[in-house]
Amino acid sequence: MANSGIIIFGELGAGRLSSITLELLGAGRKLADALGQELAAIFLGHPVDPVVREAIAFGADKVYTIDNPALQEYLTEPSVAALEAACRQLSPEVLLLGQTAVGRDMAPRLAFRLGTGLAMDCVHLEVQADSRLLVATRPVYGGNALAEMTCPSARPQMATVRAKSQEALPRDDSRTGEVIPLSVSLPSSRSRLVERVRQEAAGVKLEDAEIIIAGGRGIGSAEGFQTLEELARLLSGAVGTTRAAVDANWRPSSDQIGLTGKIVAPTLYVAIAISGASQHLAGCSGSKNIVAINKDPDANIFKAAQYGVVGDYRKVLPAFLNKVKELLETS
Amino acid sequence: MNSIVCVKQVPDPEAPPASFRIDSATNRMVPAAGVKPVLSPFDEYAIEAALRLKDAQGGKISILSLGKNLALDVVKKSLSMGADELYLLQDDAFEGGDSYSTAYALSLAIKKLGKFDLIFCGRQAADWDAGQVGSGIAELLGIPSITVASKVEAADGKARVERVLPDGREVVEVDLPALVTVSNELGEPRYPTLKGIMAAGKKPVTVWKASDLGADPAQLGRAGAKTNLLKLYAPVRETHCEIVEGETPEEAGAKMALRLRQAKLL
Ligand SMILES: Cc1cc2nc3c(=O)[nH]c(=O)nc-3n(C[C@H](O)[C@H](O)[C@H](O)COP(=O)(O)OP(=O)(O)OC[C@H]3O[C@@H](n4cnc5c(N)ncnc54)[C@H](O)[C@@H]3O)c2cc1C
Ligand SMILES: Nc1ncnc2c1ncn2[C@@H]1O[C@H](COP(=O)(O)O)[C@@H](O)[C@H]1O
């Protein structure tokens, strides 16, 4: 049987379709239209939240669900087995997942199980005109290069997609489509969840913040981040950081921005004492405005920034903070 | 507790971005002269995870590395850190592969090594940033995999693995043998000591070719790749940075606030 259709793997967060899922639906819709095929979303869980139907309003033609007690908490083996079974039943042409904690864990195992090729962490997806193949573009070498990949013969063509790289469609409740439960049998898992600890962000969540104040190794200590915290509070923003500051135990890893951290795209990103390594820029280069404060005029961050001050942040930042206070008070 | 650690040699990923040049004729990255090859950073964390288990309960650590032109002093760092033996997979037949063919070759080498409790990989290699080979090896061997680990303990045929989540941590228990991919939250890898470096000189280094692994040539290297690289190119970064200046750093800071207000960003 020839493969047909685009399937996106959907994820929920706080009882809603997560933003990456909406982005996948937007990207998937474009591919489906280019190929003249259907777009479906698939959700796993126990029970599967009825909110998954909303995928139709955001671009899907169909929604598949797999409800199984083994899928209540994410574990690699049952989830991979569930998606494997779905792919064997539905024979999609393209399967997209988010480059999320779950997507990056599940996608490689699933691709190997299906004997197909996979491009991870893609930022651009397109159907090649003559071959009708999916061309997936992914940053490599920490973002110092871009690679365009295809999967010529094996199916489905698989990719995981970087957060905030794709446009979601506006919600359209007039769209119609079916929700179809799939029944699959799942193997028992050789791993078990012992505990899961989630840290609640105190203020604005990093991924949602419109203003991010980020500090790097040059901040010099955990205490050094206090001024950054104060500035973030003042502007209703969030504090972000680099891997160097996480490795030094100045900040929790949940604050890390970059290739192996969070992907953010705020209106304003203030990078303080951050050199601008490509792996860090991978997480913030989608920001609308980057402001850099760095004592090294040759720091790479100035190549990504729109505004910069060359100087010691210990002197520049307090003066900046005071002026911001003054401006906010007088306006 | 016997462990296998897969390590990859890569051009120093922390080299300045300007030192990465692409040869568009061959679709390859040609690092500038002076960019040193290193062990992919997450792989050093993978070695460290194996060493911590060995420190706690003994056992043997075998290192596997597949690649062309491997620099002995680079891959031998694993032995200087405390691993016991090194296997190099070097053969033109392995060249031009992707995550699939690489994982295939490594999985055959692991089968040839025989009994093991845990395999460690880095969460992703710092050249192609794929993050596939670890999970792929586990799939090909039919063993469970736990990714992005920050802590690994093992006892009684099981491992307890702490994983990093975007907003926290989780602990997963897994039956052995299993494969674990390791992240930097594990904590700094140890530096080789002088004694370690001396000892490494006497540890065995074995080179395996495709024929030593009984590999199916159709699944190796370019022939076995599932994906095709159409094009490799440099990203265009076209930002112009407006440097805000002042007599003093304090003045520059205050002026920056005014400039951002003017631009309606504050
Ligand atoms: C595979 C891989 C994945 C990675 N993933 C990530 C990731 O997700 N996120 C991430 O951030 N990194 C990541 N890294 C690490 C990355 O390569 C860099 O090492 C890291 O981003 C550097 O952090 P930094 O800018 O804080 O430190 P540094 O590079 O050390 O820069 C410190 C900067 O502070 C400046 N400075 C020092 N003192 C002052 C002062 N008083 N005033 C003003 N400026 C000052 C210096 O001029 C310098 O530019 C990854 C690396 C690899 C290999
Ligand atoms: N050529 C290789 N030789 C040995 N190990 C490798 C090789 N390629 C990948 N690995 C292992 O697999 C991990 C993930 O690699 P990748 O999927 O390429 O990002 C690396 O951190 C290594 O532990």
Side-chain angles (χ1 to χ4, degrees), chain A residues 217 242-243 256-257 260 275 279-280 294 312-313, chain B residues 14:
Chain A
R217 195 195 317 259
T242 65
R243 192 176 120 187
Q256 182 180 319
I257 290 166
T260 49
S275 62
Q279 294 89 355
H280 181 74
N294 197 303
D312 185 339
Y313 91 90
Chain B
E14 306 250 0

Side-chain angles (χ1 to χ4, degrees), chain A residues 211 213 230-236 268 270 293 316-331, chain B residues 253-261 265-266:
Chain A
I211 297 185
I213 312 298
E230 194 183 341
L231 182 59
R233 260 196 313 275
L234 196 64
L235 296 170
S236 308
L268 181 62
V270 185
I293 301 174
V316 178
L317 192 62
F320 178 75
L321 176 72
N322 284 335
K323 196 60 164 183
V324 171
K325 269 191 201 154
E326 197 185 304
L327 289 171
L328 293 182
E329 277 160 14
T330 55
S331 63
Chain B
K255 275 180 147 177
M256 175 63 93
L258 290 170
R259 181 69 187 91
L260 296 182
R261 166 50 69 99
L265 291 168
L266 291 178

